[in-house]
């Protein structure tokens, strides 16, 4: 699986958009970009994933650059409950049965 | 509600004792996983199972054992052979028809060896 690089921490004001970047310059053509987050002392929560098109769901939007070497997770209106560590993971689909490799992620702190 | 449950949330054991962590899912997922997380670190895969009655070792299987007798259950036993068992243990499952590779996690069990 391709390696990812994320900033160690970011701050965001409540109600503003939180834009979390991820670099994955060695991504292969068959690898997807996944985002999870982990609130302190809880299990990781799946957010979104995509291949090359931008994706949106009820939680967030995922913007992938045309060359697929980087992506941005957007939380459109951050709340205090969005404070968590956000993980960007790049992996090929295998039909299930393989591990997720979590790096150190980005600690997002949402403040009043 | 569909989901993954892990019990107990906190577990204490004396050194030298075996202990079993429970993981149950009602998502009808085929694959289940056990991860370990140490403070400030990412998750490491212990064991995974792609189908009932079959399981595979992950990256750090030594000192652990699992069983998969039912589709919805994947218990993990931490044996006395595990040298540093104190950690946060996370169970996950995947296998939804639309997205077999998306893993969904339980709330975790924090194990402390006294």
């Amino acid at each position: 699986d391709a390696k990812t690089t994320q900033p160690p921490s970011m701050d965001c004001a409540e109600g503003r958009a939180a834009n979390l970047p991820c670099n994955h310059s060695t991504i292969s053509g068959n690898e997807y970009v996944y985002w999870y987050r982990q609130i302190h002392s809880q299990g990781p929560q799946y957010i979104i994933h995509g291949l090359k098109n931008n994706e949106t769901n009820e939680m967030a939007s995922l913007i992938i650059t045309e060359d697929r070497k980087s992506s941005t997770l957007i939380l459109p209106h951050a709340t205090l409950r969005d404070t968590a560590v956000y993980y960007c993971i790049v992996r090929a689909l295998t039909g299930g049965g393989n591990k997720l490799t979590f790096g150190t992620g980005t600690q997002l702190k949402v403040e009043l | 509600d569909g989901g993954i449950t892990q019990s107990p949330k906190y577990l204490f054991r004396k050194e030298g004792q075996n202990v079993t962590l429970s993981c149950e899912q009602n998502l009808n997922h085929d694959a289940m996983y056990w991860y370990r997380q140490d403070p400030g670190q990412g998750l490491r895969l212990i064991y995974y199972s792609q189908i009932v009655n079959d399981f595979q070792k992950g990256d750090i299987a030594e000192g652990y054992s699992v069983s998969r007798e039912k589709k919805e259950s994947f218990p993990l036993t931490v044996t006395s052979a595990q040298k540093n068992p104190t950690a946060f243990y996370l169970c996950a499952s995947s296998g939804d028809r639309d997205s077999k590779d998306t893993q969904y996690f339980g709330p975790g069990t924090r194990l402390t060896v006294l």
Side-chain angles (χ1 to χ4, degrees):
Chain A
D1 294 337
K3 185 176 180 179
T4 62
T5 303
Q6 299 177 252
S9 63
M10 293 183 65
D11 295 331
C12 180
E14 190 177 32
R16 305 296 293 269
N19 299 308
L20 292 95
C22 180
N23 286 324
H24 31 80
S25 58
T26 60
I27 192 169
S28 300
N30 65 339
E31 290 181 316
Y32 284 67
V33 180
Y34 279 77
W35 283 84
Y36 282 78
R37 72 180 183 185
Q38 187 173 24
I39 296 170
H40 183 62
S41 293
Q42 296 184 24
Q45 178 186 23
Y46 166 76
I47 302 174
I48 199 167
H49 75 282
L51 181 63
K52 51 185 176 182
N53 296 323
N54 297 337
E55 302 287 344
T56 295
N57 63 20
E58 65 278 4
M59 289 184 67
S61 294
L62 174 60
I63 309 299
I64 302 174
T65 58
E66 192 169 343
D67 63 8
R68 302 210 320 123
K69 293 185 176 182
S70 65
S71 61
T72 301
L73 179 74
I74 301 173
L75 308 178
H77 304 286
T79 71
L80 298 178
R81 288 176 293 180
D82 291 321
T83 293
V85 179
Y86 287 77
Y87 297 98
C88 170
I89 300 165
V90 173
R91 65 195 293 261
L93 297 190
T94 61
N98 278 342
K99 66 182 177 183
L100 287 173
T101 301
F102 285 73
T104 52
T106 296
Q107 172 68 64
L108 175 68
K109 185 176 181 181
V110 181
E111 300 172 306
L112 293 171
Chain B
D1 290 337
I4 303 172
T5 57
Q6 291 185 245
S7 61
K9 187 172 178 64
Y10 298 96
L11 188 58
F12 298 88
R13 80 153 214 218
K14 292 182 179 179
E15 197 170 342
Q17 290 180 335
N18 293 353
V19 62
T20 298
L21 282 59
S22 168
C23 178
E24 305 278 333
Q25 54 98 1
N26 61 2
L27 301 167
N28 200 34
H29 284 174
D30 289 314
M32 297 186 74
Y33 312 77
W34 275 105
Y35 291 86
R36 167 186 173 137
Q37 187 174 34
D38 294 287
Q41 299 187 29
L43 279 65
R44 291 184 289 168
L45 183 66
I46 304 172
Y47 268 99
Y48 67 96
S49 168
Q50 291 183 270
I51 199 168
V52 174
N53 293 321
D54 183 63
F55 49 83
Q56 309 294 330
K57 291 183 179 181
D59 297 325
I60 55 165
E62 185 175 352
Y64 299 98
S65 66
V66 294
S67 63
R68 187 83 187 279
E69 297 177 0
K70 299 185 294 183
K71 186 175 186 178
E72 59 271 20
S73 180
F74 190 41
L76 173 75
T77 297
V78 184
T79 75
S80 57
Q82 168 49 235
K83 299 303 180 187
N84 297 296
T86 294
F88 189 41
Y89 290 88
L90 290 156
C91 178
S93 70
S94 69
D96 180 81
R97 184 171 54 190
D98 294 329
S99 184
K100 287 192 173 185
D101 286 85
T102 299
Q103 295 183 22
Y104 297 90
F105 287 81
T109 291
R110 190 168 297 279
L111 173 65
T112 301
V113 174
L114 304 172

